[in-house]
Amino acid sequence: MSERKQKILAFIVDYYIATGEPAGSKLISAAFGGAVSSATIRNDMSELSELGFLEQPHTSAGRIPSQKGYRYYVDHLMGRYEISVSEQFRISNMLKNENGEPERLLSRAGEILADLTGCASLSTTPLDRQSIIKRVEMVPIGSKTVMIVVLASSGVIKSRVCRIDSEVTIEILELFYNVASAHFVSQRAHDINTANIQTIVASLGEMALVMTPLIVTLSELTTAITQADLLLEGQSNLLNYREFENNAYELMDFLSRGEPLSKLLVAHRDELSVLIGRENFFKEMENSSLILSSYQIGGQDAGSVGIIGPTRIDYSRLIPSIKFISRIVSGILSQSLDD
Amino acid sequence: MSERKQKILAFIVDYYIATGEPAGSKLISAAFGGAVSSATIRNDMSELSELGFLEQPHTSAGRIPSQKGYRYYVDHLMGRYEISVSEQFRISNMLKNENGEPERLLSRAGEILADLTGCASLSTTPLDRQSIIKRVEMVPIGSKTVMIVVLASSGVIKSRVCRIDSEVTIEILELFYNVASAHFVSQRAHDINTANIQTIVASLGEMALVMTPLIVTLSELTTAITQADLLLEGQSNLLNYREFENNAYELMDFLSRGEPLSKLLVAHRDELSVLIGRENFFKEMENSSLILSSYQIGGQDAGSVGIIGPTRIDYSRLIPSIKFISRIVSGILSQSLDD
DNA sequence: GTTAGCACTCGACCATCAAGAGTGCTAACG
DNA sequence: CGTTAGCACTCTTGATGGTCGAGTGCTAAC
């Protein structure tokens, strides 16, 4: 593709991102200082249309980028920016104290990202197929109530309160810890077979009845550890975009379902993924773009953070913010893993 | 107000709730079987307008209820329904196993309510000004990491992970439990003075530095217990209503801010509160209605569940669902308190 | 390959018009 | 006095048509 055509495509994308208006040949010619006449631009635009990079809302409007046009722009044309040092400083300051649970950190990072970009932010909790159950704790909360805490080597912590039918005795505590260390601790979370729960419980003899809720809860927690949760922030930001005026419900409802999206995020744990429109695979997102950047824990890809917005999103300005946030998140999560 | 006028008002409200269309005099006359002529209806409607119960979108449309009209309808006119026994059974079955944390129960109840009503549901976590800190636990999670768990007499459990700068020793554990039982356990959560934290920490001498993050986290958790969290579900449902087409962002953004709403809910812990439009106090909600019903723990009002929707909401059908859910929630929460 | 010129298309905007819905008012009725 | 029929009036809705301007595609010339 000729250099001029590239410049034209770049201009149209930039202009449409900035204003939301189609760009016409005369406007572009003027933007180039009149060095090329509008007729020439028209010829080029016509070819760009034929190649599928541009489309026309209607005959007498200018051109706007097609999804293929955005793709070419992202891959070859867009400017590279960095976020300012003071901004970097501000962001890392806001996050550096959230070094407890990954979930809190990610949710805070998501808020910042949503504010920064004016889009909705999303992230997945860390997920590592190799992660093992590092620790199981049972904390008495009441005479018949305990809290079960499970810690994975990925740093993820899950806890849940569980009520049983009788008083929590030393015997129950001991039995629980025995079961936990025999069948759960040091196992890969993915390998723990939920079907085995029955046999484990059965082996407890007369204590089986009392222990069942505890073992079931423990098993549910280990399952929860093998699944990435989706965290969403700033969804309402999306309502400010014209493009979502008519299908806001579809999109928001899809977002709130969580699971399909979290699968999508888990499948794209690269340093940078830009998914434009129909590249997202889900019909509900065919008018949206996703920008994702993975974070690492101890050098291992563990999850992603990113944003969702209309396809007409300011890729070049927002990509650096997302990359930066994922770097910060990587740093904080890796550091808390030093225990 | 004459009986006929009441019937007319009731019909207009019902009709508008069902169809979203204004009702005209001819339609109403026909609905009454022609027993009264449209001219008579017109006279009555004119008076109802003068009294402020009805308004006209424009001259040649029929009448729709004003907010005052809805208020009169809710107070005097609407039908009383009950939800079917099978429905009651279905709902209570879905909830009866969520007897651990109140937050999980309420969030599940909120999902059900949102599905049931097609509105967004909201609820507050239990809050009791008299509630005391019943228990504080510190669970080692890693060599330098602990999880602090605080349990209040209201049944609310808050936990957070905390990292410190040195290994967690027996000495630290003991010191922590000493501080906790001296200054936190058995205290009313509301009475714990955050300003005292400094003096507590200072009294620890050379251990002060290590202990600070732990004590601060503990103090933050007790503060969190004195505040009702707001749980929202099914927000995207609201996007299906015509009335929110133009101000969806305002409303959704307001909902996601949480705090003002949770204050509103805490202030309305009655068996049933219906807040219509401007009665909601917040400008962002002037076109919305809130239906709330409080739940009790051990006979004490502890929080509310409810829904938010457009003012044109089916009050008579939805109120029973909300009351029922709050009764179920009361039951489950009171029962888990028996420890 | 580039450009000027021009016919053509199409949406946005505006005014006009007719149809229909619903009202408010008046006068008559029982 | 409450109720009703009748009618003029208002206002929205939708259709129609015309103008304007923007932008294009094509052709012929440079």
Side-chain angles (χ1 to χ4, degrees):
Chain A
M1 173 147 48
S2 81
E3 196 187 332
R4 195 180 57 215
K5 285 212 200 82
Q6 296 201 351
K7 271 173 67 186
I8 292 174
L9 178 54
F11 178 86
I12 293 177
V13 176
D14 282 330
Y15 185 80
Y16 188 61
I17 284 174
T19 67
E21 303 285 320
S25 55
K26 232 151 90 184
L27 177 78
I28 299 176
S29 165
F32 287 177
V36 214
S37 86
S38 67
T40 309
I41 308 276
R42 273 204 292 286
N43 289 332
D44 287 345
M45 284 166 88
S46 167
E47 284 174 53
L48 284 168
S49 288
E50 221 151 283
L51 291 168
F53 292 123
L54 296 179
E55 43 193 45
Q56 273 181 292
H58 54 260
T59 330
S60 76
R63 302 287 213 295
I64 62 174
S66 68
Q67 294 191 356
K68 191 175 165 194
Y70 285 119
R71 168 53 55 201
Y72 192 89
Y73 171 85
V74 167
D75 288 343
H76 303 108
L77 305 177
M78 74 181 169
R80 307 275 158 189
Y81 295 95
E82 286 299 325
I83 53 177
S84 72
V85 176
S86 67
E87 191 75 352
Q88 294 187 15
F89 188 72
R90 203 173 62 83
I91 294 173
S92 62
N93 255 350
M94 283 193 283
L95 284 175
K96 71 177 174 198
N97 288 323
E98 301 289 352
N99 57 357
E101 291 110 300
E103 208 162 317
R104 268 178 74 90
L105 170 67
L106 287 166
S107 131
R108 190 81 190 88
E111 281 174 28
I112 292 173
L113 208 44
D115 270 4
L116 213 57
T117 61
C119 295
S121 75
L122 18 81
S123 58
T124 49
T125 51
L127 183 59
D128 175 5
R129 302 210 136 262
Q130 306 307 323
S131 93
I132 59 173
I133 305 295
K134 227 168 96 180
R135 202 162 183 141
V136 173
E137 295 285 344
M138 173 160 152
V139 189
I141 287 289
S143 63
K144 296 183 180 178
T145 316
V146 298
M147 180 178 215
I148 297 179
V149 183
V150 177
L151 172 69
S153 59
S154 59
V156 176
I157 297 165
K158 297 268 176 191
S159 62
R160 190 168 311 167
V161 172
C162 179
R163 280 171 55 81
I164 57 177
D165 284 335
S166 69
E167 308 271 309
V168 181
T169 60
I170 297 283
E171 192 190 356
I172 291 178
L173 267 167
E174 273 177 7
L175 205 48
F176 177 82
Y177 276 110
N178 286 345
V179 171
S181 48
H183 300 101
F184 291 87
V185 176
S186 303
Q187 305 281 312
R188 268 186 38 186
H190 264 89
D191 293 344
I192 294 171
N193 190 339
T194 323
N196 282 344
I197 304 299
Q198 298 232 359
T199 28
I200 297 175
V201 170
S203 74
L204 298 178
E206 60 177 2
M207 294 297 283
L209 206 62
V210 188
M211 296 300 289
T212 303
L214 298 175
I215 310 292
V216 167
T217 301
L218 174 55
S219 147
E220 282 172 7
L221 287 172
T222 56
T223 309
I225 280 179
T226 66
Q227 277 153 5
D229 291 334
L230 184 75
L231 304 178
L232 272 175
E233 301 287 340
Q235 298 162 72
S236 52
N237 282 347
L238 296 180
L239 297 172
N240 284 325
Y241 292 97
R242 279 205 286 300
E243 356 323 62
F244 294 133
E245 243 166 41
N246 299 314
N247 51 0
Y249 173 76
E250 297 255 310
L251 181 61
M252 299 294 256
D253 185 52
F254 178 74
L255 292 183
S256 71
R257 275 204 293 280
E259 210 200 315
L261 255 184
S262 84
K263 294 226 167 96
L264 193 62
L265 262 69
V266 168
H268 285 91
R269 292 192 293 193
D270 307 300
E271 198 214 341
L272 180 68
S273 304
V274 180
L275 299 173
I276 299 167
R278 283 178 297 272
E279 294 172 3
N280 282 302
F281 180 76
F282 293 105
K283 196 178 90 279
E284 291 88 343
M285 293 177 68
E286 66 186 2
N287 296 312
S288 310
S289 279
L290 219 52
I291 307 178
L292 303 173
S293 176
S294 64
Y295 60 82
Q296 290 78 35
I297 303 184
Q300 286 278 321
D301 279 332
S304 323
V305 299
I307 60 168
I308 180 170
T311 46
R312 180 180 84 76
I313 204 179
D314 193 343
Y315 300 93
S316 61
R317 302 263 171 199
L318 300 187
I319 286 174
S321 306
I322 294 154
K323 278 186 169 176
F324 177 72
I325 295 256
S326 80
R327 268 213 315 281
I328 294 281
V329 167
S330 297
I332 296 176
L333 287 181
S334 298
Q335 163 201 330
S336 1
L337 204 69
D338 293 347
D339 288 331
Chain B
M1 174 147 45
S2 81
E3 196 187 332
R4 195 180 57 218
K5 285 210 198 82
Q6 296 201 351
K7 271 174 67 185
I8 292 173
L9 178 54
F11 178 87
I12 293 177
V13 176
D14 282 329
Y15 184 80
Y16 187 61
I17 284 173
T19 67
E21 303 286 319
S25 55
K26 232 150 91 184
L27 177 78
I28 300 176
S29 167
F32 288 177
V36 216
S37 85
S38 68
T40 311
I41 307 277
R42 273 203 293 286
N43 290 331
D44 286 346
M45 285 165 88
S46 165
E47 284 173 55
L48 284 168
S49 289
E50 222 152 283
L51 291 168
F53 292 123
L54 296 179
E55 43 194 47
Q56 272 181 293
H58 56 260
T59 330
S60 76
R63 301 287 214 296
I64 63 174
S66 66
Q67 295 192 353
K68 191 176 166 192
Y70 285 118
R71 169 52 55 202
Y72 191 88
Y73 172 85
V74 168
D75 289 343
H76 303 108
L77 306 177
M78 71 181 173
R80 308 275 159 189
Y81 295 95
E82 287 299 326
I83 53 179
S84 72
V85 176
S86 66
E87 191 76 352
Q88 294 187 15
F89 188 72
R90 203 173 61 84
I91 294 174
S92 61
N93 255 351
M94 283 194 284
L95 284 175
K96 72 179 174 200
N97 288 324
E98 302 287 353
N99 57 358
E101 292 111 298
E103 209 162 315
R104 269 178 73 90
L105 171 67
L106 287 167
S107 131
R108 190 80 190 89
E111 281 173 27
I112 294 173
L113 208 45
D115 270 5
L116 213 58
T117 62
C119 296
S121 74
L122 19 80
S123 57
T124 49
T125 51
L127 182 60
D128 175 4
R129 303 211 134 261
Q130 305 306 320
S131 92
I132 60 173
I133 305 295
K134 227 168 96 181
R135 203 160 182 144
V136 173
E137 296 285 346
M138 174 160 153
V139 188
I141 287 289
S143 64
K144 295 183 179 177
T145 316
V146 299
M147 179 178 215
I148 298 178
V149 183
V150 177
L151 172 70
S153 59
S154 58
V156 176
I157 297 165
K158 296 270 175 188
S159 63
R160 189 168 310 167
V161 173
C162 179
R163 279 171 55 80
I164 57 177
D165 284 335
S166 68
E167 308 270 309
V168 182
T169 61
I170 298 282
E171 192 189 357
I172 291 178
L173 268 166
E174 273 178 8
L175 205 48
F176 177 81
Y177 276 110
N178 286 345
V179 171
S181 49
H183 300 101
F184 290 87
V185 176
S186 303
Q187 305 280 313
R188 270 186 35 188
H190 265 89
D191 293 345
I192 293 171
N193 190 340
T194 323
N196 282 344
I197 303 300
Q198 299 235 358
T199 28
I200 297 175
V201 169
S203 73
L204 298 177
E206 59 178 2
M207 295 295 285
L209 206 61
V210 188
M211 297 298 291
T212 303
L214 299 174
I215 310 292
V216 168
T217 302
L218 174 56
S219 146
E220 282 172 8
L221 287 172
T222 56
T223 308
I225 280 180
T226 65
Q227 278 152 4
D229 290 334
L230 184 74
L231 305 177
L232 272 175
E233 301 287 341
Q235 298 162 71
S236 51
N237 282 348
L238 297 180
L239 296 172
N240 284 325
Y241 292 97
R242 279 204 286 304
E243 9 305 73
F244 295 133
E245 242 166 41
N246 299 314
N247 51 0
Y249 174 75
E250 297 253 311
L251 181 60
M252 299 293 259
D253 185 53
F254 177 75
L255 292 182
S256 70
R257 276 203 292 280
E259 210 200 315
L261 254 184
S262 84
K263 293 227 167 95
L264 192 62
L265 262 69
V266 168
H268 285 92
R269 293 192 293 193
D270 307 301
E271 198 214 340
L272 180 69
S273 303
V274 180
L275 299 173
I276 299 166
R278 283 178 298 273
E279 295 172 2
N280 282 303
F281 181 77
F282 293 105
K283 194 177 91 279
E284 290 88 343
M285 294 178 66
E286 66 186 0
N287 296 313
S288 310
S289 279
L290 221 52
I291 307 179
L292 303 173
S293 176
S294 65
Y295 60 82
Q296 290 78 35
I297 302 184
Q300 286 277 322
D301 279 331
S304 322
V305 300
I307 60 168
I308 180 170
T311 47
R312 179 180 84 76
I313 205 180
D314 194 343
Y315 299 94
S316 61
R317 301 262 172 200
L318 300 187
I319 286 174
S321 306
I322 294 154
K323 277 186 170 176
F324 177 73
I325 295 256
S326 80
R327 268 214 314 281
I328 295 280
V329 167
S330 299
I332 297 175
L333 287 181
S334 298
Q335 162 202 331
S336 0
L337 204 69
D338 293 346
D339 289 331

